[in-house]
């Protein structure tokens, strides 16, 4: 699951929404739904144009840095926060 985390406080009100232009960091929740511990891995998010434009030059709209994902025990989850701020 991909979540957005604002880089500035939006106030304590739960009804406040992220406005266009607000800097956000991407947070991914990775869950192990298997019955064995997962192997460590690397994760990144990349948005690009859909097929057939995905192979065109400059088709990638943006990409995050690669982050390490630790081994995850069965039934457990971890949040991976990317450092790159997006607007």
């Amino acid at each position: 699951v991909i979540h957005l985390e604002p880089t500035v406080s939006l106030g304590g009100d739960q009804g406040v929404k992220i406005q266009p232009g607000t800097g956000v960091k991407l947070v991914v929740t990775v869950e192990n739904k298997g019955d064995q511990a997962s192997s460590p891995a690397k994760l990144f998010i990349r948005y690009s144009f859909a097929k057939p434009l995905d192979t065109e030059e400059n088709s990638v709209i943006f990409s995050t840095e690669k982050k390490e994902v630790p081994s995850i025990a069965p039934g457990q989850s971890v949040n991976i926060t990317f450092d790159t701020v997006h607007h």
Side-chain angles (χ1 to χ4, degrees), residues 8-79:
V8 296
S9 174
L10 299 177
D13 185 4
Q14 295 292 336
V16 175
K17 298 185 188 279
I18 296 172
Q19 298 298 314
T22 301
V24 295
K25 288 187 177 185
L26 300 173
V27 180
V28 175
T29 301
V30 180
E31 182 178 1
N32 182 348
K33 293 189 176 186
D35 57 5
Q36 297 180 20
S38 65
S39 297
K42 290 188 185 241
L43 174 72
F44 72 101
I45 301 171
R46 182 178 82 173
Y47 285 94
S48 63
F49 291 110
K51 290 183 179 183
L53 300 174
D54 60 333
T55 58
E56 295 293 320
E57 185 176 341
N58 298 322
S59 68
V60 175
I61 298 168
F62 77 84
S63 181
T64 63
E65 71 276 9
K66 291 182 180 178
K67 298 292 272 191
E68 298 288 333
V69 178
S71 176
I72 304 170
Q76 300 295 311
S77 63
V78 295
N79 288 331

